[in-house]
Amino acid sequence: MSGRRVLLHCNAGVESGMGHLMRTLTVARIARDRGWSASVFGEVDGAGADVLRRMEPELELVTTQGAAASLGDFAELARGVDVIHLDSYREIPDLSSVGPLISNMQDGPFGVRDADLAIDANLASERTFASPQRSLSHLAGIDAAVVRAQVLAQREARTPLSAVPRVLIVMGGTDPHGVTARVVAAFDRLPVRLQITVIDPRRSDDVRSAARSSRHSVEVLGFVDDLPALARSHDLAVTAAGTSVWDFACMGLPMALVCVADNQRTGYRQVVERGLAIGLGEPPHQSLDERIGLLADLLRSPESLAETAAALKRIVDGLGSWRIVASWEQLLRTRPHIAAAPAVIARPATLDDGQKLFEWRNDPTVRVNSRSRGEVDWGSHRDWLARSLQDPDRRLLMIESDGMPVATCRWDRRSADDWEISITVAPESRGRGVAASAVRAAESTLTAEPPIRMVAAVHRDNTASRRLFERAGYLPHLPAGEDGFLTLARWRLV
């Protein structure tokens, strides 16, 4: 048990929607599973409180009614708390004087504030991350998407396609433009027969009227506790471009998206431009009826639906909540230390460095902490070095202090944005603080245009290397695999 405490702040209800609450409850569940105690604080109406009690009955809820939370409110509730996690677009007082580590969810330009850890889980947010200078540590992009346990439980479920395509329509708790009823009515334009399920927590007369008039079989439901289980039995979801997008993507449920609020525009456009969903439009939704017609071919093609489902599951791995809570734990244990300009220099390695690199590679300490622990012969090493120096996706560096080689660092490109680092310190230079300076010098050689994600694979038993990268600001990215290696990562956003 960690013995840690977290205070999670969000607002939720019939008027403001349940998206922030659902995301908050998911993070709280992961924290509690890891031994944390948790409580939720915010303006949560009766409907929101009912959702919390049904989903997390043991979770403490402290509500405010009608007034913004003050600094005093936070200070009072934060006594003995290790982390305050914020998930709200509303104005929040500066909490730097309160004491706990501040973790903050932001969506594009919405909800940006000073924090120790800033999180924007929108697709490609590493390219649009707002005000990254207001936080020292960042989780960016779809890898940080918060996915509920209910979703993960459905990720590997298999539901055969039915003879009559099944469509789920869910626009969240607010639907400010009355899109739900328009979508139900617009499906009458499609020549294929459909089974349609509509989620309408507001119990709108317009929705029920559209359902009664539809040429399809339409069932209208109120709030659903286990939406993922319901969604799993459908072939397509028509949904607002909010937090549920990543739930459906993680499950592999093909989607058509509607942007229903200003804070959804960036995410909506990113998803549609990547071809991960069919776009049905943004306010004022003038072409909504025509765009619904784009769904006919997809619904008639089991192959297209299957291909889309597989692509979506590759995008969202479901580890976002783990990354958030594991980052809290690391930051409480090891705060990043951005060192001054290193007292070493990094230069490209050459063939003349071969003998030194060969000796370091076969050092027993180096081999025991490597994935490949066998001793390397000179011929194999020489060939490897020659290939490495010619490889455009590799940067092999020698780190020097006062003209003497003290370490080597290597960068390997893993994807368009990802570069993996590995480091070896000369046996005679260990224990002198060389490693931290070497990492900093090596990072300075990566001159590609941001964003760049720098990753490090470290064996879980290699405490020194793990602490090295933690202090350099690398956060948990992947838990240890069967080989014992875990992955840490740091974004360079600007």
Side-chain angles (χ1 to χ4, degrees):
M1 302 290 284
S2 75
R4 301 288 193 180
R5 292 185 59 200
V6 57
L7 174 67
L8 304 106
H9 174 70
C10 70
N11 303 299
V14 173
E15 296 300 321
S16 58
M18 301 293 180
H20 293 276
L21 178 62
M22 300 303 289
R23 192 159 62 180
T24 296
L25 294 180
T26 301
V27 175
R29 165 68 68 87
I30 296 297
R32 294 177 66 197
D33 287 347
R34 294 175 67 87
W36 290 64
S37 59
S39 56
V40 174
F41 163 56
E43 187 177 340
V44 179
D45 70 9
D50 286 343
V51 170
L52 182 146
R53 282 191 290 267
R54 288 197 301 270
M55 297 189 66
E56 296 290 337
E58 298 180 2
L59 190 64
E60 180 187 23
L61 171 64
V62 180
T63 61
T64 61
Q65 297 297 329
S70 68
L71 181 62
D73 293 329
F74 279 102
E76 177 68 23
L77 289 168
R79 292 178 182 174
V81 164
D82 299 283
V83 174
I84 297 177
H85 179 69
L86 307 170
D87 194 341
S88 173
Y89 299 152
R90 300 186 188 178
E91 185 174 351
I92 291 175
D94 179 8
L95 301 179
S96 58
S97 63
V98 174
L101 184 142
I102 305 300
S103 168
N104 183 62
M105 299 290 299
Q106 59 186 65
D107 289 324
F110 297 90
V112 178
R113 52 183 62 91
D114 294 338
D116 297 290
L117 173 65
I119 306 149
D120 189 335
N122 287 300
L123 182 69
S125 65
E126 63 272 15
R127 287 174 166 73
T128 58
F129 205 99
S131 303
Q133 73 279 3
R134 298 185 68 172
S135 303
L136 190 57
S137 299
H138 309 89
L139 293 175
I142 199 60
D143 285 334
V146 174
V147 177
R148 291 175 286 158
Q150 291 170 311
V151 173
L152 296 176
Q154 301 297 327
R155 181 174 168 86
E156 302 305 325
R158 295 288 182 268
T159 302
L161 294 173
S162 61
V164 178
R166 298 157 297 189
V167 175
L168 174 67
I169 301 173
V170 53
M171 294 295 161
T174 54
D175 191 11
H177 300 280
V179 171
T180 303
R182 289 184 57 187
V183 169
V184 174
F187 267 110
D188 278 350
R189 300 170 61 95
L190 268 63
V192 294
R193 300 290 294 180
L194 303 172
Q195 295 178 5
I196 299 176
T197 304
V198 184
I199 307 300
D200 179 31
R202 300 179 304 118
R203 303 186 181 278
S204 163
D205 290 338
D206 290 344
V207 172
R208 296 181 183 277
S209 175
R212 287 193 297 269
S213 303
S214 177
R215 59 186 290 267
H216 304 292
S217 173
V218 181
E219 180 181 17
V220 181
L221 304 176
F223 184 84
V224 176
D225 280 339
D226 195 347
L227 179 61
L230 175 67
R232 180 73 278 169
S233 65
H234 291 74
D235 305 307
L236 175 76
V238 181
T239 182
T243 56
S244 61
V245 169
W246 308 123
D247 288 349
F248 295 150
C250 187
M251 292 168 52
L253 179 63
M255 288 173 284
L257 293 192
V258 185
C259 175
V260 300
D262 286 341
N263 65 287
Q264 294 180 359
R265 289 184 189 271
T266 298
Y268 168 84
R269 293 171 184 174
Q270 292 280 5
V271 173
V272 172
E273 288 171 7
R274 287 277 296 271
L276 300 175
I278 294 174
L280 299 182
E282 305 176 28
H285 306 109
Q286 293 176 331
S287 60
L288 177 64
D289 292 358
E290 294 178 5
R291 287 176 176 269
I292 288 287
L294 299 174
L295 303 179
D297 289 342
L298 178 62
L299 288 168
R300 281 191 293 231
S301 173
E303 295 80 10
S304 296
L305 288 168
E307 290 173 4
T308 301
L312 289 171
K313 289 175 72 173
R314 287 194 296 270
I315 291 291
V316 183
D317 65 9
L319 291 174
S321 300
W322 173 85
R323 292 183 176 106
I324 291 171
V325 178
S327 293
W328 299 347
E329 293 168 352
Q330 176 179 305
L331 292 171
L332 290 171
R333 180 177 66 247
T334 307
R335 290 298 180 101
H337 176 69
I338 305 303
V344 299
I345 63 169
R347 64 165 176 81
T350 69
L351 289 173
D352 292 338
D353 298 308
Q355 183 62 40
K356 184 66 69 175
L357 292 170
F358 177 67
E359 293 171 0
W360 293 350
R361 168 59 183 82
N362 282 328
D363 178 79
T365 301
V366 172
R367 286 192 288 119
V368 78
N369 290 313
S370 300
R371 280 198 171 99
S372 178
R373 299 185 176 185
E375 190 168 346
V376 177
D377 64 80
W378 170 251
S380 298
H381 171 77
R382 182 184 56 203
D383 294 344
W384 170 86
L385 178 58
R387 291 193 306 270
S388 295
L389 297 179
Q390 297 298 318
D391 189 343
D393 291 326
R394 175 167 288 174
R395 305 283 189 272
L396 185 60
L397 307 170
M398 292 297 289
I399 310 298
E400 295 183 341
S401 177
D402 297 327
M404 297 297 293
V406 293
T408 179
C409 287
R410 189 179 80 234
W411 291 107
D412 290 294
R413 188 197 293 272
R414 300 305 186 199
S415 67
D417 298 329
D418 286 15
W419 287 83
E420 182 176 343
I421 188 173
S422 58
I423 178 172
T424 299
V425 176
E428 64 273 14
S429 299
R430 293 171 191 155
R432 294 164 43 191
V434 167
S437 295
V439 169
R440 180 78 188 279
E443 289 178 349
S444 70
T445 69
L446 281 179
T447 57
E449 192 74 18
I452 297 172
R453 180 163 55 187
M454 299 171 287
V455 301
V458 180
H459 197 276
R460 59 189 165 207
D461 296 332
N462 191 347
T463 305
S465 288
R466 185 170 181 174
R467 181 169 175 79
L468 166 69
F469 288 108
E470 288 179 353
R471 283 179 60 81
Y474 290 62
L475 296 174
H477 181 62
L478 290 173
E482 293 182 359
D483 60 359
F485 281 84
L486 53 87
T487 304
L488 304 171
R490 182 167 82 86
W491 278 107
R492 180 191 293 170
L493 299 172
V494 293

